[in-house]
Amino acid sequence: MRIARFTTGEDPQFGIVTGEVDQFGQPAEDSVVVALAGDPFYVGLKVLEQEHRLADVRLLSPIIPRSKIVGIGRNYAAHAAEMGTDVPEEPLMFLKPNTTVIGPGDPIFYPPQSSNVHYEGELAVVIGRICRDVPPEQATDVIFGYTVANDVTARDLQRKDVQFTRGKGFDSFCPLGPWIETDLDPQAFADGRQVQTFLNGDVVQDGSTADMIFDVPSLVAYVSSVMTLLPGDVILTGTPEGVGPMQVGDEVEVSIAGIGSLTNKVAQR
Ligand code: MG
């Protein structure tokens, strides 16, 4: 099932997106959004007798985390190598504030403090319930679903500061969407799902989730051994190789097989 957040010009609502999604993550033309009452993270799925054509609504970020986005650094060996670093012995955690989140089609604002802003296409795990010290074999129980993320990073500031907070913390630096796919097993990612990033239509990242050093259940276990996770919290699972700069006016698309495709443009702040 695909859970989206959308607006028709009125207050944002959650909804279920029906119809097929093709191999490029594009929904069928006849897809509709069936509206839900309230917030499914808290009240479950209460389906309303109200639907819209997907083409007639504006999709929003499928979740605004109430507490945190936990990023994982260097979780693909080839990306660690291109950064000139070793693979970490344990997952490398950092936080992005929830004010970084934007939705499909929203602009990524290029901050004046940086001259080297990179895309990082990533699988995002969305947590469904409050949890702590989750064993890897129970990770599925606390995962609401998966979405597509772009862990936008001001690479020059990340290197200069050592700490990641500024380089990864600017407003608009965490596009999420287009919806949350709830029906995938974490094993699907261990078996390999294609993660691709396109810059102005050209493939710039083409990785497989099978190449993650720490898999999804391990990451949920590791993060939850440090901090309590709340419904709607997001874990970014790291980016494959091929990161690179974006310029104002560029269009960046991240696509994950079986989930969907997320497109944003870069704008001057
Ligand atoms: Mg990243």
Side-chain angles (χ1 to χ4, degrees):
M1 190 166 30
R2 295 190 291 275
I3 305 287
R5 224 170 113 253
F6 69 95
T7 179
T8 55
E10 307 287 321
D11 288 343
Q13 284 180 284
F14 285 90
I16 298 171
V17 179
T18 70
E20 297 300 312
V21 173
D22 71 18
Q23 58 173 318
F24 306 107
Q26 300 302 324
E29 269 183 33
D30 59 355
S31 295
V32 301
V33 185
V34 181
L36 295 170
D39 182 338
F41 283 80
Y42 289 91
V43 300
L45 298 177
K46 294 187 178 172
V47 177
L48 296 172
E49 284 184 29
Q50 183 195 118
E51 62 178 50
H52 308 273
R53 289 178 59 223
L54 181 59
D56 292 341
V57 308
R58 183 161 82 88
L59 292 180
L60 306 169
S61 164
I63 183 71
I64 304 280
R66 285 142 182 94
S67 74
K68 55 197 168 291
I69 301 151
V70 182
I72 302 295
R74 300 177 210 146
N75 199 27
Y76 291 78
H79 171 61
E82 75 179 347
M83 296 295 288
T85 53
D86 291 329
V87 169
E89 287 179 14
E90 295 178 291
L92 173 66
M93 284 173 55
F94 60 89
L95 293 174
K96 284 169 91 90
N98 60 3
T99 42
T100 56
V101 172
I102 59 172
D106 290 338
I108 297 166
F109 287 112
Y110 202 114
Q113 296 95 324
S114 175
S115 56
N116 194 18
V117 174
H118 282 204
Y119 53 80
E120 291 188 2
E122 306 196 9
L123 169 71
V125 179
V126 184
I127 299 297
R129 47 186 260 209
I130 186 166
C131 60
R132 194 180 144 189
D133 293 331
V134 181
E137 58 275 14
Q138 286 175 24
T140 309
D141 298 344
V142 305
I143 294 172
F144 186 88
Y146 301 91
T147 190
V148 181
N150 190 342
D151 175 22
V152 179
T153 302
R155 195 69 71 201
D156 46 356
L157 305 182
Q158 181 192 26
R159 290 209 168 100
K160 187 175 176 186
D161 291 354
V162 184
Q163 297 281 338
F164 291 3
T165 307
R166 182 167 64 140
K168 289 181 178 280
F170 285 96
D171 288 359
S172 80
F173 269 26
C174 192
L176 293 176
W179 40 64
I180 300 168
E181 173 57 71
T182 62
D183 289 339
L184 291 173
D185 188 288
Q187 185 60 36
F189 302 109
D191 291 343
R193 291 270 172 163
Q194 195 173 25
V195 179
Q196 289 183 304
T197 305
F198 302 85
L199 190 65
N200 302 318
D202 296 330
V203 183
V204 286
Q205 291 188 287
D206 190 357
S208 167
T209 55
D211 294 329
M212 283 186 192
I213 296 162
F214 302 103
D215 65 9
V216 167
S218 303
L219 292 176
V220 170
Y222 186 83
V223 174
S224 72
S225 75
V226 176
M227 56 187 80
T228 298
L229 293 170
L230 302 185
D233 281 353
V234 169
I235 300 174
L236 307 180
T237 58
T239 196
E241 70 179 313
V243 298
M246 302 181 288
Q247 311 300 337
V248 170
D250 283 350
E251 182 180 86
V252 61
E253 176 187 358
V254 183
S255 172
I256 300 181
I259 302 180
S261 164
L262 169 68
T263 301
N264 300 87
K265 273 193 166 172
V266 183
Q268 193 73 54
R269 181 164 166 180

